[in-house]
Amino acid sequence: MSGLLSIGRTVFTADEAEQALGIGHGAFLDAAERLQRRKALLSPRQGFYVVVPPQYASWGAPPPTWYIDALMRREGQAYYVGLLKAAELHGAIHQAVMEFQVVAAKRLPRIRAGRSMIVFYFRKNMEAVTAGIEDRKTDTGTMKVSSAALTALDLLRYPHASGGLDNVATVIFDLGRRIDRNQLAALSAAVERPVVQRLGYLLDHLGQDELTETMQESLRARGSLPWTELDRQEARDPDFAPGPCQRDLRWRVIVRRVPRADA
C-alpha cells in the first residue's frame, strides 16, 4: 500500500493487483480482506479498492474527492458532484455537508465509506447539462462538479436532497453571486420548465433579479407556461393545501408559503 501512495496512486482494481503481484484471485481476496480489517483498504464497489493512508485510518476512508472520479470511470457512468456538496465546494455553505451527493446517469446504491456516505441521484439527460459541469482539482487529480448555475437548478429539481425550501433559499442567496447569467439562461432551455420557474421565482424573491431576465427569455421561448407549485410537498400537505396562496404571474408559480432565507 505504501508503494502505491509513494507514487500518488490511491485506487486500483483487483485485476491490476493480481497482475502486478503475480497472484491468483483467491490469494488477492484473502490479502485484501486482511487489509480491510486493519482499515488500510476500502472497497466501495466489488473489484475496486481505495488505499486508506494512515492519517485517515480513524475515519475508515480518505475523502470521496480522492476517488469519486476513478470510481465513476470504473462504473462507466457520466456523473458530477452536485447539490449541497457542490454548493459547499462553491463556498455557499459554510459547514460540512453530511452526504457526499453525486448526480449520475445511472441509478446507483449509496455507499458507506468510513465516515462518509456517498449518495447518488439520477439524471437521465446528462448530455443536456454538459455546459454546467466543471472540472475541479482534487488532492489526487480532478472530479466533475456542477457549476453554480446548475447547482441552483438542481437544488429545486431534487428538493428531497436539499433540506427543504427554506434551506434551498438560504443556499441560493449565497450561491447567486457565483452564478453566470448566460450559462443559467442556456441551462434554462434544457432543464424541466417547472424547475426553471421555481428558481426564477426564488431568485426574484431573494433580490437577485439581475440573473433572471435572460433566464426568463430562454424559458418563454419554449412556449406558454403552465402553473406550477413552488413546493410540491406543501401542495400535498393538508395543513397548506386548502389555505390561501399567492400566484406569481411572472413565473406562474403557486406559493403556499413564502420561503425564508437565513441570510
Side-chain angles (χ1 to χ4, degrees):
M1 298 301 103
S2 59
L4 285 170
L5 290 173
S6 69
I7 60 172
R9 185 84 183 270
T10 57
V11 301
F12 62 90
T13 65
D15 291 342
E16 288 173 334
E18 290 162 21
Q19 185 174 358
L21 297 172
I23 59 176
H25 187 59
F28 167 75
L29 290 179
D30 288 342
E33 186 178 346
R34 288 194 298 272
L35 288 168
Q36 288 178 82
R37 286 199 300 267
R38 286 164 44 193
K39 299 187 184 302
L41 197 63
L42 169 75
S43 181
R45 283 283 190 267
Q46 185 174 2
F48 181 85
Y49 294 87
V50 180
V51 179
V52 182
Q55 66 267 35
Y56 288 108
S58 63
W59 289 27
T65 55
W66 281 33
Y67 56 87
I68 188 64
D69 190 72
L71 175 62
M72 297 309 291
R73 279 189 277 111
R74 166 75 172 177
E75 295 281 346
Q77 297 299 323
Y79 83 98
Y80 57 86
V81 179
L83 297 158
L84 295 175
K85 187 62 186 180
E88 178 191 333
L89 293 168
H90 285 296
I93 297 180
H94 308 292
Q95 67 274 3
V97 175
M98 298 302 293
E99 292 182 349
F100 191 88
Q101 297 172 317
V102 178
V103 180
K106 180 182 179 182
R107 299 184 191 278
L108 296 168
R110 61 181 54 202
I111 297 172
R112 166 62 72 181
R115 293 184 183 181
S116 301
M117 179 66 76
I118 305 174
V119 183
F120 297 92
Y121 297 90
F122 176 63
R123 177 185 283 279
K124 183 178 181 181
N125 62 335
M126 192 69 75
E127 300 83 3
V129 297
T130 301
I133 302 174
E134 306 172 344
D135 286 323
R136 175 69 66 99
K137 287 185 178 181
T138 69
D139 290 337
T140 58
T142 63
M143 64 181 179
K144 304 291 185 183
V145 178
S146 59
S147 67
L150 180 55
T151 300
L153 287 161
D154 278 352
L155 290 171
L156 275 300
R157 190 176 194 261
Y158 303 91
H160 56 290
S162 305
L165 199 59
D166 289 340
N167 189 57
V168 169
T170 300
V171 174
I172 289 177
F173 181 81
D174 281 341
L175 196 63
R177 61 181 176 270
R178 298 168 175 84
I179 293 175
D180 182 283
R181 182 175 60 179
N182 293 328
Q183 186 185 93
L184 180 60
L187 290 169
S188 295
V191 174
E192 297 90 337
R193 286 188 298 179
V195 171
V196 181
Q197 290 169 253
R198 292 176 192 127
L199 178 59
Y201 166 82
L202 205 52
L203 287 169
D204 280 353
H205 171 66
L206 294 170
Q208 296 173 338
D209 50 299
E210 71 278 1
L211 293 170
T212 63
E213 289 302 325
T214 53
M215 179 185 180
Q216 189 173 65
E217 289 172 12
S218 179
L219 184 61
R220 293 289 183 184
R222 299 170 66 177
S224 60
L225 297 178
W227 284 96
T228 189
E229 294 278 351
L230 177 63
D231 189 326
R232 289 173 293 176
Q233 187 65 37
E234 286 184 357
R236 293 190 290 265
D237 189 331
D239 289 337
F240 287 99
C245 60
Q246 300 177 22
R247 288 180 176 263
D248 184 87
L249 295 175
R250 184 176 188 220
W251 296 99
R252 293 179 69 82
V253 169
I254 301 169
V255 183
R256 299 183 185 276
R257 182 183 64 84
V258 176
R260 296 181 179 180
D262 184 14

